[in-house]
């Protein structure tokens, strides 16, 4: 007993060092930390879906979402990125995740040209499953504000003849928080398997 009392401060110091070491390793490995930090918040919106129904931001709240801004007349990145999303859709449908825990929201920033009929034709080209994939159109300036304000995606030009835009896919959680931005300007840098894995991981949070 006397020996224990004699070295109690040594044992206490040793214990503190061990705890500090464990905490250091825990933090350095990122254990317990989310892989997807919050990088923004999706502002509220209300738009028209391809089926004519009105869809707001919170109509899909409670699901993980992939959100994408595009226009149907886009000659290059928009069709390629929508095709990539269609492949992600197909993977998520295999285990029933798509439409249940996950939905896609594609928003046209060219509502003048992109009528519901033209958007439907565009979605059909990529075998979009409209039970879980929303193709929205709304007020052009409000859409621009949403795109640039919430998602920080640049958009220049006023119509399909002179648009210059950033090409990103946003990963949004159940509470409307933006958790990750994929730079789809270079499709080769966005892997289908990676996106599927990220979506499923976030759905489990």
């Amino acid at each position: 007993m006397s020996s224990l009392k004699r070295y109690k401060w040594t044992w206490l110091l040793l214990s503190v060092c061990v705890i500090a070491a464990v905490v250091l390793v825990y933090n350095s490995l990122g254990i317990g930390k989310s892989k997807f930090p919050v990088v923004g918040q999706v502002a509220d919106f209300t738009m028209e879906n391809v089926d004519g129904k009105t869809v707001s931001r919170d109509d899909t709240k409670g699901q993980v979402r992939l959100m994408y801004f595009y226009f149907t007349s886009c000659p290059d990145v928009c069709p390629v990125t929508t095709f990539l999303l269609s492949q992600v859709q197909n993977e998520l449908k295999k285990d029933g995740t798509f439409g249940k825990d996950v939905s896609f929201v594609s928003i046209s920033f060219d509502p003048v040209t992109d009528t519901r009929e033209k958007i439907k034709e565009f979605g059909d080209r990529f075998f979009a499953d409209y039970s879980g994939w929303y193709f929205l159109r709304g007020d052009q300036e409000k859409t621009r504000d949403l795109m640039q304000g919430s998602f920080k995606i640049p958009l220049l030009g006023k119509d399909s003849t002179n648009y210059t835009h950033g090409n990103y896919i946003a990963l949004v959680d159940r509470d409307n928080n933006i958790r990750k931005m994929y730079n789809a300007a270079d499709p080769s840098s966005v892997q289908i398997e990676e996106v599927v894995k990220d979506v499923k991981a976030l759905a489990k949070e």
Side-chain angles (χ1 to χ4, degrees):
M1 183 64 69
S2 60
S3 177
L4 181 60
K5 289 181 179 179
R6 181 180 177 183
Y7 294 104
K8 67 177 181 178
W9 294 112
T10 301
W11 287 109
L12 182 59
L13 180 60
L14 181 60
S15 299
V16 170
C17 290
V18 169
I19 292 172
V22 170
V23 170
L24 181 62
V25 172
Y26 187 88
N27 289 335
S28 65
L29 294 177
I31 300 172
K33 293 182 179 179
S34 173
K35 179 183 177 183
F36 311 107
V38 174
V39 296
Q41 173 81 18
V42 181
D44 195 15
F45 62 81
T46 300
M47 299 186 186
E48 180 187 45
N49 192 25
V50 68
D51 60 4
K53 296 180 180 179
T54 299
V55 174
S56 70
R57 177 196 64 178
D58 288 347
D59 283 333
T60 57
K61 186 176 181 180
Q63 294 181 314
V64 171
R65 286 146 289 179
L66 289 176
M67 299 187 67
Y68 178 60
F69 292 86
Y70 77 105
F71 68 113
T72 65
S73 303
C74 180
D76 38 50
V77 293
C78 298
V80 172
T81 305
T82 302
F83 174 73
L84 184 149
L85 286 169
S86 74
Q87 299 305 295
V88 175
Q89 167 196 265
N90 294 341
E91 290 300 312
L92 294 173
K93 289 179 70 173
K94 290 179 180 180
D95 64 358
T97 301
F98 184 81
K100 179 184 177 183
D101 298 311
V102 178
S103 60
F104 293 178
V105 181
S106 290
I107 300 175
S108 169
F109 50 79
D110 185 22
V112 175
T113 302
D114 289 347
T115 62
R116 280 168 42 201
E117 292 74 20
K118 191 165 185 179
I119 289 174
K120 178 66 162 54
E121 180 182 336
F122 182 81
D124 286 348
R125 283 169 54 191
F126 302 99
F127 302 98
D129 182 344
Y130 299 106
S131 67
W133 194 339
Y134 301 86
F135 282 82
L136 307 181
R137 60 190 295 274
D139 179 84
Q140 187 172 38
E141 288 308 310
K142 288 182 179 178
T143 300
R144 183 185 293 266
D145 289 344
L146 177 68
M147 182 176 177
Q148 297 182 142
S150 290
F151 297 90
K152 313 304 179 189
I153 300 174
L155 173 62
L156 301 175
K158 290 293 184 180
D159 59 55
S160 56
T161 64
N162 61 2
Y163 279 130
T164 300
H165 65 97
N167 194 54
Y168 292 86
I169 302 169
L171 177 63
V172 178
D173 68 19
R174 299 179 188 273
D175 296 315
N176 300 321
N177 297 307
I178 302 169
R179 305 292 290 274
K180 186 173 182 177
M181 299 291 290
Y182 302 94
N183 184 0
D186 177 12
S188 65
S189 69
V190 183
Q191 301 301 316
I192 295 170
E193 297 79 7
E194 175 193 7
V195 178
V196 171
K197 183 179 178 180
D198 290 348
V199 167
K200 289 186 176 182
L202 189 56
K204 293 177 181 178
E205 280 195 1

